[in-house]
C-alpha cells in the first residue's frame, strides 16, 4: 500500500519520540528520517521500525511484523566498546603524538603532522 504525506509525517513524529526517549541517536535519526521521507510504500517503513518498541507509526499498526529484521545504520556486529573508544579518540591521540614527536625531534620531522590527517581519513572520524 502506498503512503500518504500524513502517514510519512506520523512516522517522522514517532522517530522523534524515539530520539527523545534515547532509543535513537541523532545520526541514526537523520538516516532513518531520510528513508522515511523517501518511502513510497508501507513496506518501506517496516525495516526502519523493526528494532524499535512502541510507539509505532499508524501505517504499520495494521501490518504484521516480519520475523526477520533488516539492519539499519548501526554499529557493526562484534564492534567492541574498546574498538569504538579507540576510533572515537584516534584523531586527538594522533595530534598529541604528532606534537610530541615534533618537539622531541626539535622540528626535524615536520611531516609528522600528516599523521592526524591520515588517521582522520582511515577511521572516518567524526566528533560525537
Amino acid at each position: 500500500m502506498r503512503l500518504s504525506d500524513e502517514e510519512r509525517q506520523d512516522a517522522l513524529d514517532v522517530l522523534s519520540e524515539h530520539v527523545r526517549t534515547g532509543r535513537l541517536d541523532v545520526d541514526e535519526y537523520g538516516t532513518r528520517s531520510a528513508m522515511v521521507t523517501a518511502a513510497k510504500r508501507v513496506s518501506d517503513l517496516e525495516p526502519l521500525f523493526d528494532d524499535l518498541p512502541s510507539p509505532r507509526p499508524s501505517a504499520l499498526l495494521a501490518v504484521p511484523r516480519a520475523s526477520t529484521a533488516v539492519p539499519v545504520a548501526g554499529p557493526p556486529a562484534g564492534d567492541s566498546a574498546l574498538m569504538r573508544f579507540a576510533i572515537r579518540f584516534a584523531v586527538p591521540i594522533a595530534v598529541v603524538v604528532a606534537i610530541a614527536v615534533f618537539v622531541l625531534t626539535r622540528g626535524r620531522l615536520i611531516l609528522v603532522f600528516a599523521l592526524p590527517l591520515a588517521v582522520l581519513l582511515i577511521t572516518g572520524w567524526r566528533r560525537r
Side-chain angles (χ1 to χ4, degrees):
M1 183 185 316
R2 293 186 67 89
L3 288 170
S4 69
D5 289 338
E6 183 178 318
E7 289 168 325
R8 273 189 215 88
Q9 185 58 50
D10 178 50
L12 289 172
D13 293 341
V14 170
L15 282 178
S16 296
E17 177 62 27
H18 287 298
V19 170
R20 279 192 293 276
T21 58
R23 290 187 187 100
L24 294 176
D25 62 22
V26 175
D27 290 335
E28 197 169 20
Y29 171 77
T31 302
R32 291 184 189 214
S33 63
M35 295 171 93
V36 166
T37 304
K40 300 285 186 209
R41 299 181 183 277
V42 173
S43 61
D44 297 335
L45 293 181
E46 289 173 359
L48 303 176
F49 292 91
D50 273 346
D51 62 338
L52 296 171
S54 292
R56 295 179 53 80
S58 59
L60 292 180
L61 293 179
V63 177
R65 293 183 75 168
S67 61
T68 59
V70 176
V72 178
D79 201 14
S80 70
L82 179 61
M83 184 59 101
R84 287 191 305 270
F85 176 83
I87 290 173
R88 183 173 182 179
F89 293 104
V91 172
I93 291 170
V95 169
V96 170
V97 169
I99 291 170
V101 169
F102 182 74
V103 169
L104 292 173
T105 61
R106 296 187 178 124
R108 291 189 190 112
L109 287 177
I110 197 160
L111 285 177
V112 77
F113 286 107
L115 176 66
L117 180 60
V119 171
L120 176 82
L121 294 174
I122 290 169
T123 62
W125 185 79
R126 287 182 286 170
R127 189 84 169 147
R128 294 178 189 192

